[in-house]
Each structure stands twice: as structure tokens, then as C-alpha cells.
Amino acid sequence: MSETGSAAPAAAAKGGKTRVQRLATTLTVVVSLGMIGPVARADTPPAQAVVDVVAHEDDDTLFLSPDLITQITRNIDTTTVYITAGENAPGATQSPELYATSRQVGVLSAYATMAGVTGCAVGAAGASGCWTLTTQTFANHQVQQYSLTSRPNVRVIFLNLPENADTRYNSGGTLAKLWASTIPNTNTLAVSAAPVQNYTRGQLIDVLNAVMTAYSATVVRAQDPAPDLQLRPDHEDHTPASLFAGAAEAAYSATKPRVMLEDYHDYNIADLAINMNAAQQAAKKNIFENQYMPNDVFVQYGAAFNDTYAKWEQREYERDPRGTNWVTTDGANNIHAFVVQGGSLYEWVEHPDGTWAAPINHGNPGAPLANGVFVAHDQDGRMEVFGQRLDSYNIISLYQSGSSWSWADVGNPNTGSDAAQRVSTPAVTTNGDGRLQIFVRNGNGGICSKWQVAINGGFVGSWGDMGGTNAQGQPSALMTNDGRIELFAPTVTGILHWYQPTANGGFNTDTTFPQAAAASGLTVAKDQDGRFELLTRQAGTANVTTTYQVSVGGSWAGPGAFGGQGGIGNITVVTDTSGRVLAAEHNANGGISFSEQTAPNNAFGGWTDISGVAVDDAAGITGPNGRTQLMAVNYDGKLYYSQQGTNNAFAAWQPAG
């Protein structure tokens, strides 16, 4: 054990700053609370539609799948835009243009197979092919668009900008240079008789925005805008492709505010735990190796393939998951759900009588927000929602102040360096005296913390460094029954654990915590008797595991797996009125499944699929009627809820508000 006193919360019983005098910079916005006064209905979201934006012709099947496979299988309108022609193939005998054409055939074959289309030439257009080829105009630029003839809501668009290594254009590095405005414009390649176009930086953003507008995107999926430099390096085109997609989504959200942006890690997922079950791995491998790969002469089996493509086929990781801590209740027994859409924070309120108010748009603190938000309560019961800006990556909060809400900037432990953009979204819990404490993964792979100086007050000025190495993603923390915080963080190979030996004090590190690679984020549950259980997914199977305390405040055992129905993402936990812990997961079919302890403090039972479809993780709460309620966001941008009945079964999903 070792003391890490720098992260001690140092209680201030008197004389701390009031909420109005917060140490953090505060911006104030006034919004009517759902339970206090009338609210204006937010804009109505369109039907379900996903626009994927990637750099190259294999980035979607490698890094956005199995989500891509699920959305097509579930008949959700899908448009994928490939920004570059992907024409660079070192040592290839084909010309760059012919290689790009061949890769496009691989894309068509992969998508037709994902859509279950048979009886035609899957990689071809025309009378004998599966595809209809048209020339479309978006923002005054002509592009080639292929639509599945029998499933016209599946389409792919090729923009054909030069790939990074093609030095014939702009001496190489075209996409990065275009984003940085170090070149004024670029021509596209002449691929498959596509008309050659010229793009400026702004025009490329406009074209992507026009595609999102034309197909009424409710979800935009893109690549990693800020890869983790502690892991393997990324391709030079991936980051600018993600930044262009994000800029287009920001412009699109000005008229369609309810769109959701999801970014995905790329090359470096090979360094993380396998987070797909065998069936999902097989489906992804089939699409890539049997449909796309025969058309890509650059991709060949061998040692390099085994260290890259074979590993990518087994994994998919979102950069900023929504998480599972975005629902809470207030003192009047209203349920509140907070979801980021279009970079702004929306709030849904369910009253004790079961009626829902229309969603409230709280806006943002001056810049778009990341998806992951965490809801906590100050000691006086007021709600405080924590999140992260996407410009500075600073941690922010939205807190109640009477009948209004105010934004506060809590800062970033790596301000002033490139590492600031690799700081995680926050986890928050309460100290024994009621003061909130924030935990983040810092940009160097350790954990940093801030805490309130006084109860209900502002946060300390500097971040405390708690140490740790190779942490990945958001940490997880919870307060014990005797007022002590226990903190957990996943790493590439295991789990870091800290704990307060006394309430409101500093933290010790636990070097004896059971080690196993986590294939998702971590979620802490509290059993009826006060013991903690740490839930995550098992590497290689995606089954749900629990590592649990043998006695209250004592040693840990596990991890032990208790099954699941596949899928990717964090585990949701809710403790019902009987004291049993319920676990829920985003399953392999795109829906939500649950398992519950057979009795308080006992093992978990089998898994049940509630059906329906969700974009990502659910959140849960025990409602004022004593029943467990799960909530999730669908591809249409609406919040849905399902309530558990007296027979433990969950009802069909219903829209909220």
C-alpha cells in the first residue's frame, strides 16, 4: 500500500466559497425546470438515419463495425462517405486509380453482404449487379453514389480526394494540409469515370453537411480526432477525416440539433482487449476477409496482417462512450435523464405520476460537448451534471441555482499541452461529508482528481495527481456505507484500484486487486450488505464479469463471468427496492439485455433481451413507484424507457416526452 496524499479532498467545514463564488469560471444560462414551470418542446428529430464518414474504403468495416453491421441488419438508413480514394498501395502492380476502383468493388461486396442481398453480382452496378450508380450533386460538387437496388436505404459515396501518401497531389499529406489550411484546395482523382472535382477546406465541410442534410442524419459516426499517443500511431488521414466530419456535424446540428456524433478509435484498438464475442468476430471477419479483402491487393496474410487486420477484426471501441450514469432522481421524486445531442445537453423529466415533460435544451458552455456525462448531487440535493468540452477538452459542470442552471469550467489537468485532448470524460462521487469529487484519466495515462473545497461549494484550483499508468478511458468510483471512496480505472492489461482508508481523506493504492484485462469500461455496484462489485466485460468473450468484495471493506475475489448476450459497451447497474442488483448491457443485436441477482447479495441469474434497438449504453434508476426503469436512446434521437413489472419482466420500450 502507498499513500497518495496529493489527491486528498481536504475538507473545509467553514469558510469555503459559496456556489456563486465558485473557483471555476462560471457562465450562467436560465432554463425553466420541468417540474417548476412550462417548457418549450425541442425540435422533432427525423427518422432513423446514420451517416458514416471515414477516410478510406476499409475504415468502416474495420473500426466502425460491428455497429455498422448491426445498423444495416436492423434496416436503419445507412450512408457511408469515403473522403479519400485510398489509392496508395506500396509495391502494388496496379495504378493508383485502378487500385482505388478495386477497393470500391470491395466496399460494394461488403455492404451487399451486410444487407443480406443475394442473387446478383454483389460488387457491381447495373442490370446484373446489386447496385444502382448515380451522380449526385451536394453543395455544388458532383459525386458518385451507389445505392443497393433492393435496399435503397443503404448507400455509399466516394469523394476520391488524394490519399496521404499520394505525392502526385500537393506533395502528399493532402487531407491534413487541407484541414490545416496549408494548401488552398485540391483536385480529386479520376476513379471509375467519376467527374474530377476541386475542394477547398470549407467546401469539403459543406459537402459532408449536405450529405447529412439530404439523408436527415440522426447519428453521425466518424474516426478518432485525437488518438492516444501512448498506443500505436494512427494513419495520417484518420484524424483530419474525423475533424472534417465533426465540423460538418456541427454545421448540420445548427438546423438539426438532435443529431448524435460518435467517434471511434482506429489503429490503436489492436493494443486493447478483445471486446467482441465469437459470433461478432466471425461476422466481422467474414465481411472483411471474404468480401472486401479479395479486392485489395495491398492486404495480404502474414505477420503484419496478424498484428493489425486480424486484431482489428476482433475489436471496436468508441472514443467517448455515453456511459451509464446520465439518469437520476430529485427530491420531489422526478426522474431526470441527460443526453448530449448536437453538442448540446438535453434533459428529459418524468414526473411521479408517470407523465413526461418535453425535452429541455440546456445548450452548451460555448463549445460542443462530448457524449459522456455524469450526474451527481450536491449535499443539499441539487443536481450537477458533469461533462467535457470538445474544443479545450476541459471538464465542465451544469449545476442548479434556484430555478435556473449555470455552467462552470472545472479545467483540464493537462491544459496547455497536446495531452489535454486525451483526458477522459469525468467520473464523480460523493465524500462522506457530502462534498463531490471528480476523477479523470489524464493525458499521460494516470488519474487526476478535483474536489469541492466546501460542501456545495466550488472546486479546488489545481488537479491532484493520483499516479497510475496506462489507464484507458473513464475511471469509476463509489462511496462506501461508512463514507469512504473506492476508485477504479481500467488499463490495457488490468485494473487500478485506490481507496480512502478514512472518510474525506487521502487515497491508498491497492496492489493486491485481482488483475484481468477489461473489455469495456468499469461499473461499481453496491450489494445490499454494503459489499462492492466491479462489473465489466471479459476479454475475448464480451461476457459480463464481476470482481467482488468477500466482506464489507475487505479483500476482493474474481473476476467471475456470468454470461451475457454479446455486444459492446459498459454495464449498467441498478439496485432495486428489494436490494438486488440488476445488470444491463447493450447486446449483440443492438438491443438491451438484463440479468438480476437471484436474491440480495447472491449470484446473478440468466440474461433476457428486452428487444428494441439502442444506439449505445442504457442507464437505469429505481423510480418513485419502486420499479426499476431502464432508459436508452434510439437511432431516431428519442429517449425510450422500459419499466420492470411485478413479474420481473420489462415492458416494451416507450418514447419519453
Side-chain angles (χ1 to χ4, degrees):
M1 306 292 183
S2 62
E3 185 74 11
T4 53
S6 62
K14 295 182 181 179
K17 292 186 180 292
T18 66
R19 179 67 72 180
V20 177
Q21 299 170 310
R22 295 178 72 95
L23 296 176
T25 303
T26 302
L27 304 171
T28 302
V29 293
V30 178
V31 182
S32 297
L33 292 178
M35 65 279 195
I36 294 176
V39 295
R41 174 170 291 278
D43 54 286
T44 302
Q48 303 174 350
V50 180
V51 171
D52 301 313
V53 180
V54 294
H56 310 122
E57 284 67 18
D58 57 358
D59 290 340
D60 47 344
T61 53
L62 290 172
F63 307 122
L64 275 60
S65 293
D67 282 351
L68 174 65
I69 298 172
T70 299
Q71 72 197 40
I72 293 176
T73 302
R74 298 301 296 261
N75 199 32
I76 293 168
D77 191 293
T78 297
T79 304
T80 299
V81 182
Y82 303 91
I83 295 181
T84 81
E87 72 276 15
N88 181 59
T93 56
Q94 295 174 308
S95 70
E97 286 73 19
L98 183 58
Y99 176 57
T101 301
S102 182
R103 296 187 75 179
Q104 291 183 5
V105 172
V107 167
L108 300 180
S109 179
Y111 273 70
T113 301
M114 283 187 278
V117 175
T118 59
C120 53
V122 295
S128 62
C130 293
W131 295 87
T132 300
L133 170 62
T134 57
T135 299
Q136 300 288 329
T137 300
F138 297 103
N140 299 315
H141 283 69
Q142 291 184 318
V143 303
Q144 284 190 316
Q145 174 179 291
Y146 292 83
S147 301
L148 266 175
T149 305
S150 61
R151 280 275 306 275
N153 68 341
V154 176
R155 60 190 75 84
V156 295
I157 295 172
F158 300 100
L159 301 187
N160 295 324
L161 273 73
E163 195 264 353
N164 175 76
D166 192 341
T167 56
R168 300 175 303 168
Y169 295 82
N170 311 299
S171 300
T174 292
L175 200 59
K177 291 176 179 177
L178 197 64
W179 174 257
S181 298
T182 56
I183 57 172
N185 53 64
T186 186
N187 281 341
T188 61
L189 277 71
V191 178
S192 301
V196 174
Q197 303 289 286
N198 185 273
Y199 285 89
T200 66
R201 181 184 190 274
Q203 288 171 344
L204 179 53
I205 294 171
D206 290 344
V207 167
L208 295 174
N209 179 12
V211 173
M212 297 173 193
T213 301
Y215 297 115
S216 300
T218 53
V219 178
V220 173
R221 286 175 163 154
Q223 296 179 263
D224 195 340
D228 188 345
L229 300 183
Q230 296 185 88
L231 305 175
R232 66 182 66 193
D234 213 342
H235 190 284
E236 295 87 347
D237 283 336
H238 289 171
T239 294
S242 176
L243 295 171
F244 273 112
E249 183 272 342
Y252 173 68
S253 67
T255 56
K256 298 291 184 181
R258 299 283 294 280
V259 65
M260 294 171 284
L261 175 64
E262 296 187 328
D263 293 325
Y264 290 75
H265 290 306
D266 299 310
Y267 281 0
N268 57 28
I269 64 175
D271 298 326
L272 305 178
I274 297 171
N275 67 338
M276 295 161 54
N277 68 11
Q280 287 186 298
Q281 292 179 45
K284 185 173 177 178
K285 179 177 181 177
N286 173 55
I287 295 300
F288 182 75
E289 293 189 27
N290 296 331
Q291 306 304 321
Y292 171 81
M293 185 174 159
N295 300 282
D296 190 332
V297 297
F298 174 68
V299 183
Q300 301 292 328
Y301 291 113
F305 180 94
N306 293 337
D307 188 49
T308 52
Y309 293 94
K311 291 182 177 180
W312 297 332
E313 290 173 340
Q314 300 170 313
R315 298 159 170 86
E316 177 202 275
Y317 280 89
E318 274 191 63
R319 187 182 193 278
D320 296 308
R322 189 177 312 281
T324 63
N325 296 284
W326 42 273
V327 174
T328 192
T329 56
D330 62 24
N333 287 325
N334 298 287
I335 295 176
H336 299 256
F338 297 89
V339 175
V340 172
Q341 294 183 329
S344 295
L345 185 66
Y346 284 80
E347 177 190 8
W348 283 259
V349 181
E350 182 185 18
H351 303 301
D353 63 2
T355 60
W356 287 86
I360 306 162
N361 184 358
H362 287 285
N364 59 52
L369 296 170
N371 288 331
V373 296
F374 200 111
V375 187
H377 286 265
D378 285 299
Q379 192 270 347
D380 59 12
R382 288 177 297 161
M383 293 179 290
E384 188 156 3
V385 186
F386 294 84
Q388 187 175 38
R389 298 171 62 116
L390 286 179
D391 57 348
S392 62
Y393 292 90
N394 280 10
I395 304 304
I396 55 85
S397 77
L398 179 70
Y399 62 91
Q400 289 180 299
S401 179
S403 61
S404 65
W405 293 77
S406 296
W407 290 102
D409 192 323
V410 187
N412 184 305
N414 297 100
T415 295
S417 74
D418 288 342
Q421 60 191 340
R422 293 185 290 278
V423 170
S424 75
T425 52
V428 185
T429 194
T430 306
N431 277 283
D433 59 8
R435 289 174 303 115
L436 296 177
Q437 188 153 358
I438 306 169
F439 302 93
V440 297
R441 182 259 198 192
N442 64 44
N444 300 313
I447 300 297
C448 284
S449 179
K450 270 194 176 186
W451 51 90
Q452 287 179 323
V453 177
I455 296 170
N456 304 317
F459 288 86
V460 295
S462 299
W463 290 85
D465 188 350
M466 301 186 65
T469 57
N470 294 320
Q472 293 295 315
Q474 183 189 57
S476 184
L478 194 64
M479 186 182 71
T480 63
N481 286 346
D482 59 356
R484 298 177 300 104
I485 295 174
E486 301 227 12
L487 170 68
F488 309 85
T491 70
V492 174
T493 57
I495 294 172
L496 302 174
H497 178 219
W498 293 261
Y499 65 94
Q500 289 176 323
T502 58
N504 311 311
F507 285 79
N508 286 355
T509 55
D510 177 8
T511 58
T512 66
F513 191 82
Q515 293 299 299
S520 72
L522 308 176
T523 307
V524 191
K526 187 187 294 184
D527 285 320
Q528 185 189 54
D529 60 12
R531 291 178 303 118
F532 278 6
E533 300 203 34
L534 185 68
L535 277 66
T536 186
R537 290 185 186 263
Q538 185 178 53
T541 69
N543 285 338
V544 181
T545 69
T546 177
T547 303
Y548 58 92
Q549 285 181 313
V550 177
S551 60
V552 176
S555 61
W556 293 78
F562 59 98
Q565 296 182 336
I568 289 171
N570 296 347
I571 307 305
T572 304
V573 296
V574 186
T575 301
D576 67 19
T577 53
S578 73
R580 295 187 301 160
V581 175
L582 177 143
E585 66 174 0
H586 189 216
N587 63 41
N589 294 322
I592 304 296
S593 299
F594 77 96
S595 171
E596 196 163 15
Q597 289 178 328
T598 56
N601 311 311
N602 273 21
F604 287 84
W607 288 85
T608 302
D609 188 347
I610 309 176
S611 298
V613 62
V615 174
D616 46 24
D617 299 333
I621 197 82
T622 299
N625 60 2
R627 296 182 182 178
T628 299
Q629 187 163 291
L630 294 174
M631 280 167 269
V633 181
N634 200 331
Y635 281 86
D636 59 8
K638 295 180 181 179
L639 178 69
Y640 287 77
Y641 68 96
S642 176
Q643 192 172 93
Q644 193 173 31
T646 55
N647 61 351
N648 290 334
F650 278 84
W653 294 96
Q654 300 293 325

